[in-house]
């Protein structure tokens, strides 16, 4: 077993932070470490909180941390930082608000900082959930930044996904487009102190009525995170969804589907790594590109054929 994994099993917080850095940096030992980490899994409740920037996700998470701690649960929170330099202010705000939990060993807060592609960020976030689970947190929660493709990808790993919307914001349209409405297990109307709550509730109710009746019916929860209102209901509904997953076929199917998706993703990642190495040190390819009549389609096909050949020969070795 990898030394870091051994120390994570002993609840060494420094090993936890180190392992997360390793997945963020795509360290060569990453996959073998993650395999050991996976063998230590405790089946924490994975919760995803998504919604447009400014919807109140961080404020809600902050309240939730207090709430679940008061019930004796431990919690890890992963905040997905965007790579964009424009959001520095907002993130600083998040950190300051969450700092009050720093002295509590039952709370672990980490923001992800991956400079690479959004796909890389999603992957690293999912691996981080697993690491926090191996450490033994009862709840592992991810807060996304916005409502795009990468968010959708991250949410695929969550057991329970809560979508945070606000009245009169027009967020719903954006969320619809990204396909996030469909994956929400809970709808949260935050900022319920503002006008337009009923209108949004009706819209959500109509949406829920149109969706598959066989599956879990998403509840609509109203919150005012600035006033700590609706947090216990939100938590109750999250626990309720977890129970539903544990007791029904949908939970089982969801687990299988997620595992399948993940295996495919890992295979793609492995192949990509392989291809990337070959692309980097393939001098013949470079010579060909340099010719004036270079046909990109033909070159790509030739290259692919060579690569496959190489892979097969390597396999025989
Ligand atoms: N009026 C009102 N403002 C809120 C509420 N919840 C959060 N806010 C404010 O909305 C802003 C964005 O909140 P934040 O939690 O950072 O949103 P995030 O970007 O989704 O994480 C902050 O100024 C919060 O104080 C609420 O329930 N009512
Ligand atoms: Mg936030």
């Amino acid at each position: 077993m990898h030394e870091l994994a051994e120390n994570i099993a002993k609840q060494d917080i420094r090993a936890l932070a180190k392992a997360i850095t390793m997945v963020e940096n795509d360290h060569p030992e990453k996959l073998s470490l993650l395999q050991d980490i996976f063998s230590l899994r405790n089946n924490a409740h994975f919760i995803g909180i998504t919604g447009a920037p400014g919807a109140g996700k961080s404020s809600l998470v902050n309240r939730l941390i207090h709430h679940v701690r008061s019930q004796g649960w431990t919690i890890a929170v992963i905040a997905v930082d965007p790579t964009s330099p424009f959001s520095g202010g907002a993130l600083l705000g998040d950190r300051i608000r969450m700092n009050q939990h720093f002295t509590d060993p039952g709370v672990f807060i980490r923001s992800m900082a991956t400079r690479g592609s959004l796909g890389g960020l999603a992957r690293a976030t999912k691996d981080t959930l697993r690491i926090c689970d191996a450490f033994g947190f009862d709840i592992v929660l991810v807060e996304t930044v916005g409502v795009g493709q990468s968010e959708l990808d991250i949410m695929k790993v969550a057991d329970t996904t809560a979508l945070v919307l606000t009245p009169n914001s027009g967020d719903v349209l954006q969320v619809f487009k990204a396909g996030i409405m469909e994956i929400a297990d809970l709808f949260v109307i935050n900022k319920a102190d503002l006008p337009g709550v009923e209108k949004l509730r009706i819209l959500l109710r109509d949406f829920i009525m149109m969706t598959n009746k066989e599956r879990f019916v998403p509840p609509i929860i109203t919150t005012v995170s600035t006033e700590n209102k609706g947090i216990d209901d939100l938590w109750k509904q999250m626990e309720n969804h977890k129970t539903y997953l544990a007791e029904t076929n949908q939970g089982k199917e969801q687990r299988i589907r997620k595992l399948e998706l993940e295996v495919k993703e890992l295979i793609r990642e492995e192949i990509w790594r392989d291809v990337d190495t070959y692309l980097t040190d393939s001098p013949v390819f470079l010579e060909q590109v340099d010719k004036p009549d270079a046909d990109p389609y033909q070159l790509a096909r030739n290259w692919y054929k060579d690569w496959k050949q190489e892979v097969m020969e390597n396999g025989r070795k």
Side-chain angles (χ1 to χ4, degrees):
M1 168 125 17
H2 197 289
E3 198 192 334
L4 276 181
E6 267 171 17
N7 290 333
I8 283 170
K10 290 182 209 144
Q11 302 215 312
D12 172 354
I13 199 92
R14 276 174 45 214
L16 174 70
K18 238 182 175 166
I20 296 173
T21 305
M22 260 171 94
V23 304
E24 277 182 330
N25 296 340
D26 210 7
H27 192 280
E29 284 168 30
K30 184 183 93 171
L31 284 184
S32 71
L33 170 67
L34 285 170
Q35 199 170 354
D36 292 340
I37 295 258
F38 187 73
S39 72
L40 297 170
R41 70 193 172 279
N42 295 302
N43 296 318
H45 188 185
F46 287 172
I47 298 173
I49 307 262
T50 189
K57 297 179 296 297
S58 297
S59 317
L60 279 172
V61 169
N62 200 15
R63 297 292 190 184
L64 269 175
I65 294 173
H66 275 291
H67 190 75
V68 301
R69 286 301 291 142
S70 74
Q71 303 203 342
W73 303 113
T74 60
I75 180 167
V77 173
I78 302 156
V80 182
D81 276 7
T83 41
S84 157
F86 301 113
S87 27
L91 289 170
L92 193 62
D94 282 0
R95 290 211 185 93
I96 289 166
R97 250 174 283 152
M98 288 182 170
N99 261 353
Q100 40 188 293
H101 305 287
F102 270 8
T103 49
D104 179 355
V107 179
F108 174 76
I109 297 170
R110 169 82 181 217
S111 46
M112 300 298 292
T114 301
R115 292 152 295 278
S117 65
L118 280 178
L121 181 62
R123 183 71 250 160
T125 304
K126 286 184 257 188
D127 295 337
T128 301
L129 277 159
R130 287 264 161 71
I131 297 170
C132 292
D133 176 34
F135 187 90
F137 288 102
D138 300 313
I139 302 152
V140 187
L141 189 150
V142 180
E143 179 196 333
T144 70
V145 180
V147 281
Q149 201 52 50
S150 146
E151 276 78 11
L152 194 63
D153 194 24
I154 292 169
M155 287 306 118
K156 279 183 198 149
V157 87
D159 300 312
T160 303
T161 298
L163 171 62
V164 183
L165 296 161
T166 52
N168 275 328
S169 59
D171 290 354
V172 176
L173 232 127
Q174 209 185 338
V175 168
F176 251 119
K177 270 194 261 167
I180 291 187
M181 290 291 278
E182 284 84 349
I183 60 151
D185 303 302
L186 283 82
F187 290 107
V188 183
I189 304 181
N190 187 42
K191 304 200 187 181
D193 50 325
L194 303 181
V197 174
E198 277 320 301
K199 208 173 139 202
L200 179 55
R201 197 198 305 277
I202 290 166
L203 201 136
L204 291 176
R205 225 179 253 156
D206 286 349
F207 174 80
I208 292 165
M209 292 230 303
M210 289 184 322
T211 51
N212 187 357
K213 301 275 182 313
E214 315 268 291
R215 110 175 241 253
F216 182 78
V217 180
I220 304 169
I221 302 129
T222 321
T223 59
V224 184
S225 60
T226 40
E227 294 167 26
N228 206 11
K229 279 188 188 152
I231 307 301
D232 37 333
D233 187 28
L234 175 57
W235 176 242
K236 247 183 243 146
Q237 298 289 356
M238 284 174 163
E239 284 197 304
N240 185 31
H241 181 248
K242 191 191 178 192
T243 309
Y244 175 88
L245 291 182
E247 290 173 354
T248 61
N249 238 353
Q250 195 198 321
K252 204 173 138 198
E253 280 165 20
Q254 194 169 309
R255 265 194 305 279
I256 294 171
R257 216 175 38 244
K258 280 177 181 168
L259 212 65
E260 184 193 345
L261 277 173
E262 194 159 8
V263 173
K264 283 184 186 166
E265 193 175 302
L266 287 167
I267 292 171
R268 280 193 205 103
E269 198 187 336
E270 284 280 276
I271 293 178
W272 175 246
R273 218 188 278 266
D274 222 22
V275 166
D276 212 30
T277 315
Y278 193 64
L279 258 178
T280 317
D281 42 50
S282 174
V284 185
F285 175 66
L286 288 178
E287 274 164 33
Q288 287 172 342
V289 167
D290 219 20
K291 286 184 188 139
D293 59 343
D295 166 358
Y297 304 100
Q298 193 55 47
L299 284 177
R301 288 173 70 184
N302 289 350
W303 186 90
Y304 184 68
K305 243 170 66 193
D306 287 353
W307 174 70
K308 257 171 72 177
Q309 181 88 30
E310 164 106 355
V311 168
M312 270 174 3
E313 275 164 17
N314 269 339
R316 275 192 218 104
K317 269 183 216 158

